[in-house]
Amino acid sequence: MNRLLMSALSITLLGAAACSDGETAAVEVTPGAAPTEVSDSRAATAATTTALALGMTRTELEDADLVSPGPEFTLLGDVESLVLDPAGQVTGLVIDLAGLDVDVVVPIGDVSSVRRENDVDVTTIMTRTQLQALPPFTADPD
């Protein structure tokens, strides 16, 4: 049922996402190959679909911080971009870890949205230590 709902949302939002003024960075990661940037329309569609699945708007996703679970909501990092597989499915979020000069990919299944005060962010059950242990991510192979 969830897949049917997500498919319907994807089809419905394809045109709206492609026409949006905002820009969302996204890269495609194919095993064994360097990450490649995807088109603006493909990135926008992925961002809109992912945001809706997380119960937030695309703008909220683009502005989201990654925080620890409440009640503390400690800042862990900022959402930088999306990681897509060759089929266009979002597999992770590129997170710029707070206080470090490193980006990592957090699997999409390990995040959820959280509303706090007048803000919507994403949270994970991963600890700061677990996040720091993830391999560094770079979209630029050089």
Side-chain angles (χ1 to χ4, degrees), residues 30-94:
T30 303
T36 57
E37 288 188 43
V38 300
S39 69
D40 289 345
S41 64
R42 188 170 175 207
T45 299
T48 301
T49 302
T50 301
L52 287 172
L54 290 171
M56 53 197 323
T57 68
R58 183 173 145 201
T59 301
E60 289 169 334
L61 178 60
E62 291 169 347
D63 294 336
D65 292 326
L66 178 68
V67 296
S68 66
E72 300 85 24
F73 298 116
T74 303
L75 177 66
L76 299 172
D78 295 312
V79 175
E80 293 295 312
S81 61
L82 307 174
V83 176
L84 283 65
D85 65 14
Q89 298 297 310
V90 175
T91 59
L93 300 177
V94 176

Side-chain angles (χ1 to χ4, degrees), residues 98-134:
L100 302 173
D101 189 23
V102 65
D103 290 343
V104 297
V105 176
V106 177
I108 194 69
D110 290 345
V111 299
S112 59
S113 64
V114 60
R115 293 193 181 276
R116 51 192 190 107
E117 297 176 16
N118 293 328
D119 203 9
V120 182
D121 289 312
V122 292
T123 188
T124 183
I125 59 170
M126 295 178 75
T127 65
R128 180 178 296 279
T129 302
Q130 290 171 320
L131 291 167
Q132 291 173 343
L134 292 172

